[in-house]
Amino acid sequence: MKLKIETAQNCDREQLRKLLLEASEQLVGGGNHVLEARLRWEGQPILLADADLHPVLVSFDPDSSEAALVNGLQGVERLRSALPWINQVYDPLQQRQQSARLVVVAPEFPPGAEAVLHSCADLNLLRYRVLSVNGESGLWLERLSGVAAARSTPKAATQVDAERLPEQASNDILPALSEAENAYFQQL
Amino acid sequence: MVSQLNPAWQRKSASSSRLAEISARFLGETQESKQGNDLCQAIPFFLDGPEQRWITDELARILTERGHPCSACHWGDSNDPESSSPTAHGDTACATDAWCVLAVSSPDKLLRQDIDHVVLLVQADLDGVRIAYQRIKLLAQHGGPDIGIVLVGPRDQHAAWRYFRKLAVGALRYLDVPLLNLGFLPEQIAPGEDAEASHRHNFLARIGERLLHSGFYSTITTGAAQRGT
């Protein structure tokens, strides 16, 4: 069969939500569960549970990467406070009380992505394009790694945006491990 | 246990702030308590989640039994992110007891209050050790407190020692942070099982003794829920 792939026009928030739900496996891996397709919080993020039973907040915005990031960080903070309640309400979490992960999806990576990734161990930043394949719409998702962020982010923007992060959120988010630390903690 | 550790892992020597703290403790008995601004010896515990609260609750009960009137206070589980005061749990109140086991669930709460000691409850598996290391790294980035470790759920003392050694060597090598080994709660210990009660009691009592003997606590004023020194 001949594939006809083209970029589609940018979608609105609800169309993006639908596409993200369809692409949940790409976002958080297989074996996930959708806990809430629309949380009534700022930005109306999606709440999933991954295969390891971590709650995963998917914060997205079809226009503004900064809004998606800030809403996501605030959402994770609320989620942390509400963790016992959330574990009671959503059976797929099996009362494991696991810490929450954050996935931020926007058309572009937010400015200051490097600083954010360095201070947030459980954060994934993704940008997307809507593609049409033989008339069917789908998402093309690109994940930002720390190295790519260093290449793509101007340093001045990094510093400004790191200062803008809510103080409490940055204090509660665990720092990432260096390569040497990661290697050290691979085994006992 | 403390004396068995490599000297590099021992607690920092008494600093001027520590001496000031001790002095305030004695002065507080004669002056501040009369003003209704009582000093309390707080032992902050950083919990992984509410399922570990039984540890702090039970430790408080054991300390009380052993002549150190103690409350268990929970700090940081309020939905109000601005909440900065510990809340008493159970029938006793922080303000009335000389000792307080303070359960904290947010690093931000610790950092904002400038607490100078904290006990980390570390799950005895590789993930648990890695998360504990990240917490230590976060605290160290802010000029953090002295850190004591209690391993939760190792098979036996040997396993507990292996996990502690992994964490302590990593913390010292990469962060230059010494850790204090305060003991462990083996895997067969769980809340709510009467048959295990005395076993559990013994392990927690041992941890309590180590905390008191090593002076691993902070002095706070209970009126304002702030550090007293």
Side-chain angles (χ1 to χ4, degrees), chain A residues 17 21 24 28 32-39 41 44-50 54-60 75-76 79 83 85-87 89-90 93 100-101:
Chain A
R17 181 189 310 281
L21 287 168
S24 62
V28 300
N32 66 73
H33 296 270
V34 177
L35 303 181
E36 285 290 342
R38 181 186 287 109
L39 274 177
W41 293 353
Q44 301 190 326
I46 298 168
L47 183 61
L48 305 171
D50 67 14
H54 289 268
V56 184
L57 192 73
V58 182
S59 176
F60 60 96
V76 163
L79 207 54
L83 211 52
W85 176 82
I86 281 171
N87 273 269
V89 172
Y90 299 108
L93 295 176
R101 291 168 47 204

Side-chain angles (χ1 to χ4, degrees), chain B residues 61-99:
Chain B
R61 193 173 58 74
I62 289 169
L63 288 175
T64 303
E65 281 175 11
R66 300 195 162 212
H68 305 283
C70 185
S71 317
C73 299
H74 299 152
W75 194 5
D77 50 359
S78 160
N79 286 337
D80 175 9
E82 296 306 313
S83 165
S84 61
S85 302
T87 52
H89 176 71
D91 297 326
T92 53
C94 276
T96 60
D97 290 326
W99 292 84

Side-chain angles (χ1 to χ4, degrees), chain A residues 83-154:
Chain A
L83 211 52
W85 176 82
I86 281 171
N87 273 269
Q88 281 179 1
V89 172
Y90 299 108
D91 291 337
L93 295 176
Q94 295 179 20
Q95 291 278 5
R96 295 280 189 91
Q97 311 285 343
Q98 305 258 40
S99 58
R101 291 168 47 204
L102 174 62
V103 175
V104 174
V105 185
E108 294 299 335
F109 298 126
E114 183 194 11
V116 177
L117 275 181
H118 274 267
S119 60
C120 306
D122 290 326
L123 170 67
N124 283 303
L125 296 175
L126 296 104
R127 66 179 171 188
Y128 75 92
R129 296 281 179 274
V130 182
L131 296 181
S132 168
V133 180
N134 291 354
E136 291 280 326
S137 291
L139 283 182
W140 171 82
L141 293 164
E142 183 186 2
R143 197 173 297 264
L144 183 69
S145 72
V147 178
R151 268 192 253 117
S152 65
T153 311

Side-chain angles (χ1 to χ4, degrees), chain A residues 56-74:
Chain A
V56 184
L57 192 73
V58 182
S59 176
F60 60 96
D61 193 291
D63 302 313
S64 166
S65 56
E66 285 171 305
L69 177 60
V70 171
N71 289 341
L73 289 171
Q74 288 171 346

